[in-house]
Amino acid sequence: MFSRRILLTSVSALAALALTLPTTTWAKEPIPVVATFSILGDMVERIGGEHIAVTTLVGPDEDAHVYQPTPQAARAVAEADLMFVNGLDFEGWLERLAQAAAFDGALVVATDGIEALTFDEHGDEQDDHDEHKDDHDDHEDKDHKDDYDKHEGEHDDHAGHDHGAFDPHAWQSLTHAVTYVDNITAGLAKADPENAADYYANRATYVAEIEALNVDVTAIMAGLPEEKRTVITSHDAFGYFAHAYGFNFEAPQGLSTESEVSAADVAELIEQIRKEGISAVFIEAIADNRLLKQIANETDATIGGTLYSDGLSNAEGPASTYLDMMRHNAETLSKALSN
Ligand SMILES: [Zn+2]
C-alpha cells in the first residue's frame, strides 16, 4: 500500500512535470548551425546566443588551411539549418564537404561586402588606398610571384585547395569584423525572424565592444615608432592588420600554411631582418614554426611571442574569444617591438 502510493505520487508528479515542461520553457529548440572555424564560431555565438546551437568545425588552436573534415563534421553540416563560412577561398574543403553532407540549409558568407586585399604581380598585398605601398615596394622582393605561381600549379594535385588571389584573413581587421557581424546578424534574422530583435540587440552590444577595442588597438599600435613596424610571422595572415594599423608583415610562407617555402625567399627574409635590424619575429599558434625559429637563430632577432592568426586559443589561453585575440596580438606586438 505504502509503496504503491509513493509510486502513484511519483508517477503523477512526473506526468505533471512532463505536462508543464513544454509550456514553461517557451523557447523552441535552438537552431542547429555550423561555423567553419573558431573565430567565426565565437562571433556567431555572440549574435545567436541562446537561440542557436553552434558546431564549430575547425576548433581552437587548429588550422583551417589544412583541415580534413571528419564524419562528425559531415553530420553536423547535414543537420545544420545555417552554415557560416569565411569565404574568399579560406575553406578550400568546404564545397566537397557540403556536397558530401547534402547540405540544404542557408549559407552565410561572413566576408560578403568586404573589399578583399589581393596579391599583385610581386606577391605584395595591396589595394588602391594603400598608403604603405611605397614602403612595400622599397624593400620587397622580386621572387614571391614565382613562388606563388608554382603553388597554384601544385594545388591542382590536391583537389579542394585553391587559395585564389584574395587574402582570406579579413577578420584581422576590427573594422571588417563589423561586416562579419552584420552578415551573421542578417543571416540569423532571415532564418529566424521571430528572434530577429534579439539578434540585432546582441549585434549592437557586440559592435560597441569591437569599436571600443579598435580605438584601444589603434592607440597601442600608434605608440610604436615607424622603424619598428616590420613584423615577421610564419604565414601571411596579417595583411589586414598591417593595412589597418600601418605595419608591414613579412612571412616565409604565403597566404596558406600549406604553401611551400622556397630557399630563396628564406634567404631574402634573413637578409631583410639583418639589413633592417628587425629585432623580433613572432610565432603563430596554428603554424609549424620550425622555420621561423631557424630564421631567428640565424639573425639577431628574438622570438617576440605568439600571435593568434587563424584560430582562437583554448579556454585557458590568452585568446579564447575574438576580442581577446585581437587585444592579445596588439599587446604582444607592442611589448616585443618597443624593446
Ligand atoms: Zn591563414
Side-chain angles (χ1 to χ4, degrees):
M1 277 305 201
F2 183 67
S3 61
R4 188 162 165 244
R5 199 172 43 200
I6 289 177
L7 185 67
L8 281 175
T9 313
S10 52
V11 165
S12 57
L14 271 179
L17 194 67
L19 280 174
T20 51
L21 260 180
T23 48
T24 50
T25 54
W26 58 274
K28 35 182 196 175
E29 288 285 297
I31 302 168
V33 310
V34 160
T36 49
F37 66 116
S38 55
I39 293 165
L40 190 56
D42 176 50
M43 292 178 173
V44 169
E45 270 185 42
R46 285 291 312 256
I47 303 306
E50 64 189 7
H51 301 307
I52 60 170
V54 185
T55 301
T56 296
L57 301 183
V58 185
D61 288 326
E62 290 177 7
D63 181 358
H65 291 294
V66 296
Y67 173 68
Q68 309 247 346
T70 60
Q72 294 97 297
R75 258 199 306 281
V77 169
E79 285 165 12
D81 288 358
L82 282 111
M83 182 150 58
F84 296 90
V85 307
N86 184 74
L88 300 176
D89 291 330
F90 182 56
E91 302 99 338
W93 36 266
L94 182 75
E95 203 176 310
R96 188 188 275 187
L97 173 62
Q99 265 168 17
F103 174 69
D104 60 357
L107 189 72
V108 178
V109 181
T111 53
D112 258 0
I114 286 173
E115 199 179 322
L117 293 174
T118 56
F119 271 62
D120 73 0
E121 58 177 12
H122 297 291
D124 292 336
E125 245 167 330
Q126 58 174 229
D127 71 12
D128 294 340
H129 352 271
D130 191 348
E131 309 149 23
H132 307 283
K133 196 156 74 177
D134 296 338
D135 310 358
H136 273 291
D137 289 346
D138 284 346
H139 48 66
E140 266 286 351
D141 51 273
K142 306 106 210 143
D143 294 328
H144 275 186
K145 149 85 163 145
D146 301 341
D147 200 32
Y148 198 65
D149 285 348
K150 228 183 301 163
H151 297 154
E152 292 288 344
E154 277 167 17
H155 285 308
D156 297 341
D157 297 339
H158 27 215
H161 293 298
D162 177 12
H163 302 289
F166 293 109
D167 181 345
H169 306 90
W171 61 84
Q172 286 292 346
S173 151
L174 284 155
T175 306
H176 289 331
V178 175
T179 305
Y180 276 62
V181 168
D182 284 342
N183 286 325
I184 292 165
T185 307
L188 283 169
K190 192 174 170 202
D192 180 24
E194 231 173 275
N195 292 311
D198 284 359
Y199 300 136
Y200 280 100
N202 292 343
R203 177 206 171 272
T205 307
Y206 195 31
V207 167
E209 290 174 36
I210 292 171
E211 286 174 349
L213 181 60
N214 200 17
V215 171
D216 288 357
V217 169
T218 303
I220 291 170
M221 301 323 283
L224 286 167
E226 285 299 322
E227 69 275 13
K228 296 280 194 177
R229 287 169 175 247
T230 294
V231 178
I232 315 287
T233 58
S234 293
H235 88 295
D236 267 323
F238 294 95
Y240 293 89
F241 188 97
H243 196 254
Y245 304 110
F247 279 71
N248 174 35
F249 278 71
E250 304 281 348
Q253 266 188 320
L255 275 180
S256 170
T257 53
E258 268 194 317
S259 318
E260 311 227 337
V261 179
S262 81
D265 280 354
V266 174
E268 197 178 342
L269 200 56
I270 288 174
E271 176 66 20
Q272 186 186 352
I273 292 171
R274 288 184 177 141
K275 210 163 67 191
E276 296 179 24
I278 293 168
S279 59
V281 303
F282 295 84
I283 60 178
E284 287 175 40
I286 59 149
D288 178 346
N289 295 291
R290 282 173 298 183
L291 177 62
L292 203 77
K293 287 175 178 165
Q294 187 193 324
I295 290 172
N297 272 340
E298 291 189 28
T299 61
D300 289 334
T302 57
I303 304 286
T306 300
L307 300 180
Y308 290 82
S309 54
D310 296 20
L312 300 175
S313 69
N314 60 32
E316 291 76 43
S320 63
T321 67
Y322 170 68
L323 294 178
D324 284 351
M325 177 188 93
M326 295 302 287
R327 183 180 291 281
H328 167 87
N329 286 347
E331 286 174 348
T332 301
L333 286 167
S334 161
K335 215 167 122 192
L337 295 175
S338 54
N339 285 332

